């Protein structure tokens, strides 16, 4: 037996023993619980102050307290801070009959107090270690504030830039999204869940929420099985395989069945086929919403549908706690199913070590020391730099010279300290981001920097539950911007969306620069063409004019607490950008959904020269910036693409290698990407599919051989019955620095 194997077995043994021991404890506890206490474990209440959904119409604070005292609550959300968590945990532990501790859930999505880049931005780093670290830091801070459960990672694949929650995921690709999902789960949960700084993670939203029709949030979803199995489900499966403890279902329906009431998704696929043994939590009141969807006539029916379907916990819906006990008595839900749900919830509580010490996450000292530590800010800065994507650098305006340049910084967002925190930053204090203006001031000693707000874009103060008001009419600030630009060597314009213009319930029908920013950009361009456009946005934007005219474009998303420092380091070349887009940027909103792994149609090319092919009469089919695109201050060359076999059997694997050389004048990092095409399939296959990537650091002049392995896991696909097929035939291989790759080869699978 090899050392590695032996070690694996030894390491597994305590885990298996611990699992059995927990199962025994859970069974003994379950045996003494009343029906109401069991239902109580399935009840998740919002706390009494922060709210992350519509305010409940019923269930006031008094009722919640009474339910807590009776042991009719299994978990709380939006209760944070050691003092508050301790106070509520004390009720559960000391005042209820069985003293079962509560879970405390919170949307720790991109940081807790120290805010890292929005998840889509982090995904642009293609750096799994950095993404894992970012989630680790978030878990350390959240756990120090009493939280033991995060409602993250969001692993919804989306191809629709109109949908505001694109900002919260890892983009459009299932293979890449699966890797990011695993990194995030590992970051939150760590290697040992009983440690006081690891927390349970939650893959959401199960399933297909990213495919809401027309990109409008909470809308209906109709997709075929092929898309469900090959595009939607893989990141969830990857999260389950990395032992994620919880899964959240979704607000949408899927082909006419509400996800919360979907037995196929929750029982057949998740729990039975995949063997998921954690628990499923509803989304905010999504059990109640089954009634509004018209799939249940009242709360009783909604409770029955959801519980039978496999939804184990009701988030702020108040439906289970009101209805489920009666429905069990009426035999509408089998008690065995109820026991299964409660067993799953109690198991997670045991696994977190809450029965050993319910106050495990309540340490004032840690709370003071950990939250906002210097180390966490350093990690946030590192992540922010890695998330920036250099989209265009045609005239080599970047990096900026260290001295002798007159720089005009323009744009309301450039001085904004709130917007860069992004959407999900509930625990962060307002206005705590380092703005781009501050970042540049920190960096610019010898250059002269002037700041001009230019046109007003965002009016008044916005927050998590209100709409952003945009100025569409008052153009007076444009002339200030033009004046400032006239006197500058370089103009840096920070334009884009406010952090609260993407995220939940923030769908858009336009993908342009909100307000009068486009007008200002064009007016400035007339007097000074040396523009560096720094984009802030939580979704792909369609900016064809900018792509055509502006020589330098930097995608800076919303980068969190350290935004300004990260942007300044990249603009000045102290950090060489290496990010790559995890989403396709369209030319026009009319192209959406636009994604790189589209399918060939019967009429994809204009062979005949007539109009009868799959195209638009007013726009190209191609994207503005493709998936995987991102430049560096240096250049990279790909050559010597080799595969070790020209034909391979279905059970074997092939090795693909390529030489990557840094041919420019700076050290830098490049994400080498490998795509395949299954040329002929029993189902139509995408024109390309990402199946490998590696982030490689190369000093200038340095070369490295990058190697990828392709086997069954990479070469197959799911058919419409959910069966995984690996079909013999021709495969194309494409390797390069974006989805518009440079090198090609082929092999045969036989
Ligand atoms: C609704 C969102 O869809 C979900 O992602 C979030 O975790 C819950 N609200 C709780 O805040």
């Amino acid at each position: 037996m090899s050392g590695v194997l032996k070690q694996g077995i030894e390491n597994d043994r305590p885990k298996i023993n611990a699992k059995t021991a927990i199962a025994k404890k859970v069974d003994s506890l379950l045996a003494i619980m009343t029906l109401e206490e069991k239902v109580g474990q399935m009840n998740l209440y919002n706390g009494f102050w922060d709210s992350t959904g519509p305010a409940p119409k019923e269930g006031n604070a008094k009722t919640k307290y009474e339910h807590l005292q009776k042991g009719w609550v299994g978990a709380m959300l939006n209760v944070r801070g050691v003092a508050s968590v301790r106070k509520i945990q004390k009720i559960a532990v000391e005042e209820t009959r069985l003293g079962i501790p509560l879970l405390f859930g919170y949307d720790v999505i991109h940081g807790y107090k120290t805010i890292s880049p929005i998840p889509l931005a982090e995904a642009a780093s293609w750096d799994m270690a950095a993404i894992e670290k970012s989630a680790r830091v978030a878990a350390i801070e959240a756990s120090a504030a009493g939280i033991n459960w995060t409602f993250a990672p969001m692993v919804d694949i989306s191809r629709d830039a109109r949908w505001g929650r694109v900002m919260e995921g890892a983009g459009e690709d299932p293979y890449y999204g699966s890797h990011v999902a695993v990194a995030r789960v590992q970051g939150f949960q760590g290697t040992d869940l009983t440690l006081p700084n690891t927390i349970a993670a939650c893959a959401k939203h199960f399933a297909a929420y990213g495919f809401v029709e027309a990109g409008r949030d909470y809308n209906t979803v109709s997709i075929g099985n092929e898309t469900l199995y090959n595009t939607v489900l893989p990141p969830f499966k990857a999260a389950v395989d990395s032992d994620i403890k919880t899964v959240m279902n979704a607000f949408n329906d899927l082909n006419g069945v509400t996800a919360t009431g979907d037995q196929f998704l929750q029982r057949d696929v998740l729990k039975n086929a995949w063997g998921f043994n954690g628990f499923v939590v509803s989304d905010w009141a999504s059990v109640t919403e089954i009634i509004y969807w018209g799939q249940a006539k009242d709360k009783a029916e909604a409770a029955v549908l959801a519980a039978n379907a496999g939804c184990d916990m009701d988030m702020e819906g108040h439906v289970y706690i009101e209805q489920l006990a009666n429905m069990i008595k009426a035999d509408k839900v089998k008690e065995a199913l109820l026991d299964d749900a409660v067993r799953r919830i109690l198991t997670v509580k045991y696994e977190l070590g809450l029965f050993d010490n319910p106050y495990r996450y309540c340490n004032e000292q840690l709370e003071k020391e950990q939250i906002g530590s210097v180390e966490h800010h350093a990690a946030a800065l590192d992540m922010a730099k890695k998330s920036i994507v250099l989209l265009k650098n045609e005239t080599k305006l970047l990096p900026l010279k260290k001295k002798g340049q007159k720089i005009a910084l323009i744009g309301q967002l450039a001085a904004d300290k709130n917007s860069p925190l992004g959407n999900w930053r509930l625990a962060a204090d307002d206005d705590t981001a380092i703005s781009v203006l501050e970042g540049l001031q920190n960096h610019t000693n010898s250059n002269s920097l002037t700041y001009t707000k230019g046109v007003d874009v965002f009016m008044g103060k916005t927050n998590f539950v209100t709409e952003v008001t945009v100025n569409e009419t008052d153009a007076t600030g444009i002339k200030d911007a033009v004046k400032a630009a006239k006197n500058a060597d370089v103009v840096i314009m920070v334009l884009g969306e406010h952090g609260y213009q993407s995220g939940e319930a923030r769908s858009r029908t336009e993908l342009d620069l909100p307000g009068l920013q486009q007008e200002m950009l064009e007016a400035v361009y007339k007097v000074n063409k040396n523009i560096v456009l720094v984009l802030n946005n939580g979704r792909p934007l369609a900016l064809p004019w900018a792509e055509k005219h502006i020589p330098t474009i930097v995608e800076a998303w919303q980068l969190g607490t350290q935004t300004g420092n990260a942007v300044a380091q990249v603009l000045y070349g102290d950090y060489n950008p290496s990010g790559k887009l995890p989403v396709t940027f369209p030319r026009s909103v009319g192209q959406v959904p636009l994604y790189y792994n589209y399918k060939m149609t019967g009429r994809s090319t204009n062979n005949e020269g007539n109009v009868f092919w799959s195209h638009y009469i007013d726009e190209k089919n191609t994207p503005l910036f493709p998936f995987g695109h991102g430049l560096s201050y240096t250049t990279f060359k790909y050559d010597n693409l080799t595969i070790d076999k020209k034909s391979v059997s279905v059970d074997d694997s092939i090795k693909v290698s390529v030489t990557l050389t840094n041919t420019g004048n700076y050290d830098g990092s490049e994400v080498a990407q490998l795509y395949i095409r299954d040329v002929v399939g029993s189902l139509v296959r995408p024109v390309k599919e990402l199946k490998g990537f590696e982030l490689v650091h190369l000093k200038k002049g340095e070369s490295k051989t990058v190697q990828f392995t392709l086997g069954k896991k990479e070469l197959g696909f799911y058919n419409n019955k959910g069966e995984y097929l690996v079909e013999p035939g021709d495969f194309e291989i494409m390797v390069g620095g974006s989805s518009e790759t440079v090198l090609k080869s082929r092999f045969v699978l036989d």
Side-chain angles (χ1 to χ4, degrees):
M1 185 182 295
S2 81
V4 176
L5 258 182
K6 196 158 163 260
Q7 198 188 0
I9 288 171
E10 278 166 3
N11 283 349
D12 268 1
R13 198 160 290 140
K15 274 196 203 147
I16 290 164
N17 289 344
K19 273 200 158 72
T20 323
I22 286 179
K24 277 193 188 146
K25 287 181 192 167
V26 168
D27 279 341
S28 340
L29 184 53
L30 207 56
I32 57 165
M33 288 171 81
T34 64
L35 184 54
E36 286 71 21
E37 283 164 345
K38 288 181 188 173
V39 172
Q41 285 305 306
M42 300 166 73
N43 183 27
L44 165 58
Y45 274 154
N46 185 51
F48 312 102
W49 43 97
D50 288 348
S51 175
T52 52
K57 295 188 183 66
E58 52 210 278
N60 58 27
K62 188 164 165 280
T63 316
K64 286 182 180 174
Y65 264 116
E66 282 167 11
H67 286 185
L68 277 166
Q69 286 166 324
K70 286 184 185 162
W72 288 7
V73 183
M76 296 292 293
L77 81 143
N78 292 333
V79 175
R80 64 187 163 92
V82 168
S84 305
V85 169
R86 186 189 288 281
K87 195 167 130 202
I88 305 232
Q89 189 71 296
K90 217 159 169 252
I91 303 174
V93 173
E94 292 180 15
E95 297 183 38
T96 67
R97 190 178 77 91
L98 295 170
I100 300 174
L102 298 162
L103 291 169
F104 287 87
Y106 199 66
D107 289 285
V108 186
I109 311 289
H110 52 110
Y112 179 73
K113 185 78 92 181
T114 309
I115 300 299
S116 38
I118 57 169
L120 184 66
E122 288 195 356
S125 70
W126 297 62
D127 186 331
M128 296 307 111
I131 292 174
E132 179 176 337
K133 175 136 191 225
S134 170
R136 187 87 284 283
V137 167
I140 292 171
E141 289 203 358
S143 59
I147 307 299
N148 49 39
W149 178 25
T150 174
F151 302 125
M154 193 272 235
V155 302
D156 295 312
I157 297 298
S158 181
R159 297 161 165 178
D160 197 327
R162 294 170 296 183
W163 190 49
R165 299 194 80 166
V166 169
M167 58 77 60
E168 207 177 326
E172 71 190 34
D173 184 61
Y175 176 86
Y176 184 60
S178 300
H179 279 78
V180 175
V182 171
R184 289 191 166 135
V185 174
Q186 286 171 350
F188 289 126
Q189 295 194 166
T191 47
D192 181 356
L193 210 55
T194 62
L195 293 176
N197 65 11
T198 53
I199 60 181
C202 180
K204 67 189 190 185
H205 304 83
F206 200 65
Y209 185 35
F211 282 76
V212 280
E213 202 168 275
R216 201 185 73 216
D217 208 2
Y218 315 128
N219 205 359
T220 183
V221 174
S222 291
I223 54 167
N225 278 350
E226 193 267 329
T227 305
L228 178 69
Y229 288 118
N230 291 297
T231 306
V232 170
L233 294 182
F236 287 99
K237 173 81 165 52
V240 169
D241 290 344
S242 35
D243 204 23
I244 193 156
K245 294 298 163 192
T246 71
V247 168
M248 186 184 293
N249 57 36
F251 287 131
N252 55 284
D253 75 326
L254 174 60
N255 302 327
V257 181
T258 53
T260 306
D262 194 328
Q263 188 160 334
F264 161 73
L265 282 177
Q266 296 170 101
R267 280 211 195 278
D268 301 352
V269 174
L270 179 65
K271 291 179 177 174
N272 295 338
W274 296 353
F276 171 64
N277 47 28
F279 70 85
V280 178
V281 61
S282 82
D283 203 342
W284 183 288
S286 66
V287 182
T288 323
E289 290 181 8
I290 297 178
I291 305 168
Y292 312 144
W293 278 99
Q295 224 203 331
K297 77 168 188 295
D298 54 21
K299 286 185 177 180
E301 263 193 32
V304 169
L305 194 68
N308 282 332
C311 171
D312 303 309
M313 192 182 268
D314 172 11
M315 181 198 292
E316 194 55 30
H318 303 240
V319 176
Y320 281 5
I321 198 64
E322 284 175 24
Q323 306 291 334
L324 214 46
N326 284 339
M327 291 302 103
I328 303 252
K329 286 178 198 151
D331 206 27
K332 294 270 171 61
V333 178
K334 296 272 172 251
E335 191 151 2
L337 286 190
L338 180 85
D339 285 351
D340 175 65
V342 179
R343 195 175 276 120
R344 289 166 182 272
I345 294 163
L346 293 176
T347 301
V348 172
K349 293 185 177 184
Y350 271 107
E351 287 176 334
L352 283 165
L354 288 173
F355 281 94
D356 293 334
N357 178 7
Y359 305 107
R360 161 157 285 165
Y361 297 86
C362 294
N363 179 330
E364 281 84 359
Q365 186 63 27
L366 271 185
E367 186 175 36
K368 262 193 228 125
E369 285 166 13
Q370 294 288 355
I371 298 179
S373 72
V374 173
E375 200 193 335
H376 294 174
H377 278 268
L381 175 58
D382 183 59
M383 188 74 253
K385 289 188 287 193
K386 290 175 170 162
S387 304
I388 294 172
V389 185
L390 181 61
L391 293 173
K392 198 176 165 195
N393 193 20
E394 207 172 65
T395 53
K396 302 277 177 290
L397 266 183
L398 292 182
L400 297 171
K401 297 197 174 66
K402 298 265 174 179
K403 51 184 173 199
Q405 283 185 324
K406 275 193 280 173
I407 296 174
L409 177 66
I410 297 173
Q412 188 185 19
L413 284 171
D416 199 312
K417 293 175 65 60
N418 210 27
S419 168
L421 296 174
N423 185 298
W424 277 116
R425 35 67 180 259
L426 303 173
D429 300 318
D430 275 353
D431 299 316
T432 47
I434 293 166
S435 69
V436 173
L437 172 60
E438 289 169 331
L440 287 173
Q441 280 166 341
N442 292 345
H443 252 74
T444 310
N445 298 323
S446 320
N447 280 336
S448 77
L449 176 74
T450 58
Y451 169 67
T452 310
K453 179 166 71 162
V455 73
D456 272 313
V457 188
F458 307 106
M459 318 286 285
K461 195 101 181 123
T462 44
N463 59 37
F464 186 69
V465 295
T466 56
E467 307 260 348
V468 174
T469 311
V470 178
N471 163 34
E472 306 279 358
T473 49
D474 179 3
T476 40
I478 293 185
K479 62 177 184 317
D480 301 338
V482 169
K483 194 169 155 214
K486 270 187 189 156
N487 299 320
D489 298 316
V490 178
V491 185
I492 301 174
M493 298 190 74
V494 182
L495 306 180
E497 298 179 324
H498 192 278
Y500 280 128
Q501 283 188 311
S502 58
E504 186 179 346
R506 269 75 173 200
S507 299
R508 292 185 66 198
T509 61
E510 299 293 343
L511 298 174
D512 57 357
L513 299 169
L516 303 172
Q517 295 179 97
Q518 178 71 30
E519 283 82 337
M520 179 164 75
L521 178 62
E522 292 185 26
V524 167
Y525 179 78
K526 280 195 187 125
V527 298
N528 193 335
K529 301 208 168 8
N530 286 338
I531 298 175
V532 176
L533 172 59
V534 176
L535 291 173
N536 286 187
N537 42 305
R539 54 159 64 79
L541 293 178
L543 303 173
W545 186 91
E547 189 270 340
K548 191 164 169 208
H549 296 92
I550 303 301
T552 316
I553 308 180
V554 177
E555 177 51 76
W557 318 100
Q558 282 107 23
L559 294 172
T561 309
Q562 288 289 332
T563 290
N565 287 337
V567 170
Q569 287 193 27
V570 165
L571 296 189
Y572 274 103
D574 296 329
Y575 185 83
N576 188 356
S578 55
K580 302 271 187 181
L581 294 178
V583 272
T584 302
F585 275 40
R587 295 174 185 279
S588 138
V589 72
Q591 293 177 305
V592 170
L594 188 71
Y595 46 97
Y596 85 92
N597 48 354
Y598 61 90
K599 288 178 187 133
M600 208 60 163
T601 69
R603 295 189 177 192
S604 285
T605 42
N606 187 11
N607 286 334
E608 309 290 329
N610 60 34
V611 296
F612 301 109
W613 67 291
S614 181
H615 71 299
Y616 301 99
I617 57 171
D618 58 355
E619 187 51 274
K620 294 177 185 164
N621 284 355
T622 54
L624 192 72
F625 297 110
F627 174 87
H629 169 73
L631 304 172
S632 163
Y633 295 145
T634 191
T635 46
F636 295 99
K637 186 168 163 237
Y638 289 81
D639 55 14
N640 299 328
L641 175 62
T642 50
I643 43 183
D644 65 346
K645 309 178 186 99
K646 277 288 169 200
S647 75
V648 62
S649 76
V650 171
D651 291 314
D652 204 355
S653 61
I654 63 158
K655 289 207 175 348
V656 179
S657 54
V658 69
T659 309
L660 180 62
T661 308
N662 181 342
T663 48
N665 295 322
Y666 300 82
D667 299 347
S669 298
E670 166 76 340
V671 182
Q673 301 161 43
L674 171 117
Y675 297 83
I676 64 159
R677 177 169 181 198
D678 181 352
V679 181
V680 178
S682 56
L683 292 184
V684 177
R685 308 305 310 132
V687 291
K688 55 186 78 167
E689 297 174 86
L690 182 75
K691 292 295 175 184
F693 64 92
E694 193 176 326
L695 178 63
V696 187
H697 186 78
L698 292 173
K699 295 202 175 313
K700 54 182 170 188
E702 198 186 352
S703 281
K704 194 183 159 184
T705 304
V706 185
Q707 203 172 67
F708 304 97
T709 304
L710 294 173
K712 247 186 187 164
K713 232 172 108 207
E714 289 76 26
L715 299 175
F717 62 92
Y718 290 93
N719 67 12
N720 281 317
K721 292 188 206 142
E723 295 156 345
Y724 191 73
L725 309 177
V726 186
E727 295 185 338
D730 288 345
F731 281 79
E732 270 176 22
I733 288 181
M734 294 149 268
V735 177
S738 90
S739 59
E740 290 179 1
T741 49
V742 287
L743 300 176
K744 281 192 180 171
S745 188
R746 288 175 87 89
F747 70 92
V748 182
L749 188 69
D750 45 32

